[in-house]
Amino acid sequence: MSIVIAGGSGFLGQALARALAQDGHEIVILTRRPRAPGRDSARAIAWTPDGSVGPWASSISGAAALVNLAGESIAARRWTATQKQRIRDSRTLATRSLAAAIERAPTPPAVFISGSATGYYGPLDDRIVTEEHPPGADFLARVAVDWEAAAMDAQARTRVVCVRTGLVLARDGGALPKMLPPFRVGAGGPVGSGRQYWPWIHQQDWIDLVRFAIRHPAATGPLNATAPAPVTNAEFARALGRALRRPAWLPAPAFALKLLLGEMAEALLLSGQRAVPAKAERLGYAFAFRQLDDALRSILRR
Ligand SMILES: NC(=O)c1ccc[n+]([C@@H]2O[C@H](COP(=O)([O-])OP(=O)(O)OC[C@H]3O[C@@H](n4cnc5c(N)ncnc54)[C@H](OP(=O)(O)O)[C@@H]3O)[C@@H](O)[C@H]2O)c1
């Protein structure tokens, strides 16, 4: 059966599309640029994710799943007012388009898996955070609240899962390759106080958890996609040093990061959440990578 992935051309979408194609699904990608290279393994359909429904909507009728990964990157540019608007609109409007398409589909997709992020909880200290925790009030939290609300509008017609993803670790994309250069030369270390929690997940577990959520009828509502053992940023730096066999004690001061990156530094690097996958574990998902050392060793080994 077919699975439609909106924003399926990106870091997570491409890897998920490959895995689901191997499971025997026909993959359809909704993209703003259907003719861009690298679309070969899936059928690419053009869409305009502006809150409206277009001819692309017929592709979701009867699908085994609709997965929503569309959104302007949160780390690509400094957060000007315009960029923040793009980050917000690209998620809420794309999700509204998909929910409206589900509303009108002759046969709704069997499940709607929609993106979200652990940023939903806002910046927190070392308390453990499950799906029950209320949302934060900073910019990313407010974006996630609106993003999830737009997805939950589809509830009347299908099962909806909002995947609150943490920092996805992989060799060939996401944040990890960008962090590596200073660590490789022994100039890496904690950022700011190092006490902020970074909820991480190995890319393989993220893919397998989405597959699990597609198959599992009891998976519904918010779902933390984070490993069971989140670490502080200082522990993350030490683990990265161990994996690369390099010293990792050189701190990056908070004021310098704020000067360089503005508001983004606080939200993406200097704060975090000790989010745990309470629902995934309750439903019986078995993580392949529970400990950061194992995840980093598997990703960074030659
Ligand atoms: N990677 C992580 O560690 C992580 C962590 C937490 C949450 N997430 C969330 O998971 C989702 C997928 O992440 P990713 O790392 O795969 O992101 P990505 O590589 O940036 O891919 C996102 C896709 O969204 C589409 N897109 C980009 N800008 C857009 C815009 N302005 N309007 C509509 N669509 C746009 C693009 O597809 P086309 O150009 O083909 O249209 C792009 O391929 C994102 O929403 C992200 O916030 C990711």
Side-chain angles (χ1 to χ4, degrees):
M1 277 176 90
S2 73
I3 291 187
V4 182
I5 311 178
S9 59
F11 162 55
L12 294 178
Q14 283 188 39
L16 180 66
R18 271 195 302 274
L20 293 171
Q22 274 164 18
D23 292 344
H25 294 286
E26 186 211 343
I27 306 300
V28 176
I29 282 177
L30 299 182
T31 169
R32 296 162 306 157
R33 303 166 295 135
R35 275 182 250 298
R39 304 277 190 273
D40 317 338
S41 59
R43 188 153 65 89
I45 295 183
W47 77 324
T48 308
D50 60 359
S52 69
V53 174
W56 54 268
S58 60
S59 68
I60 72 154
S61 188
L66 170 60
V67 183
N68 172 22
L69 299 173
E72 175 86 13
S73 166
I74 58 166
R77 290 200 185 91
R78 211 179 161 88
W79 286 2
T80 59
T82 315
Q83 187 59 13
K84 284 166 89 171
Q85 187 80 33
R86 284 170 69 96
I87 289 170
R88 184 187 301 109
D89 287 353
S90 62
R91 287 174 173 74
T92 50
L93 296 181
T95 309
R96 267 183 224 154
S97 284
L98 296 171
I102 293 171
E103 171 74 36
R104 293 179 205 182
T107 310
V111 58
F112 180 31
I113 308 275
S114 196
S116 183
T118 51
Y120 173 92
Y121 303 111
L124 292 172
D125 51 22
D126 61 356
R127 79 197 85 162
I128 289 175
V129 173
T130 71
E131 289 86 353
E132 312 297 321
H133 200 280
D138 68 339
F139 167 66
L140 285 183
R142 281 182 282 118
V143 169
V145 166
D146 292 349
W147 193 9
E148 291 193 9
M152 294 313 287
D153 279 348
Q155 253 186 125
R157 294 216 74 206
T158 190
R159 177 164 63 92
V160 182
V161 184
C162 293
V163 183
R164 293 183 183 155
T165 298
L167 181 68
V168 182
L169 301 180
R171 196 186 177 91
D172 56 355
L176 185 63
K178 298 186 188 85
M179 289 180 215
L180 288 177
F183 279 89
R184 285 200 193 284
V185 298
V191 292
S193 73
R195 285 196 295 271
Q196 67 279 28
Y197 269 83
W198 275 13
W200 60 274
I201 184 168
H202 191 294
Q203 189 188 37
Q204 188 57 53
D205 270 320
W206 184 86
I207 291 168
D208 288 345
L209 186 53
V210 170
R211 275 167 153 162
F212 177 89
I214 289 173
R215 300 195 293 275
H216 210 299
T220 164
L223 180 71
N224 284 351
T226 59
V231 296
T232 63
N233 165 262
E235 288 171 81
F236 192 97
R238 281 196 293 273
L240 204 45
R242 276 194 295 277
L244 295 168
R245 300 202 175 90
R246 294 280 187 280
W249 52 264
L250 205 68
F255 76 89
L257 291 166
K258 283 185 192 163
L259 212 63
L260 197 70
L261 302 170
E263 186 184 348
M264 206 168 124
E266 186 64 46
L268 299 186
L269 299 171
L270 299 168
S271 67
Q273 313 79 18
R274 193 176 184 179
V276 296
K279 194 180 280 182
E281 297 220 276
R282 198 163 63 237
L283 293 172
Y285 175 75
F287 280 84
F289 296 95
R290 300 181 71 86
Q291 300 296 330
L292 182 60
D293 279 326
D294 297 335
L296 290 176
R297 255 200 308 273
S298 107
I299 292 167
L300 298 172
R301 75 171 163 232
R302 296 258 150 224

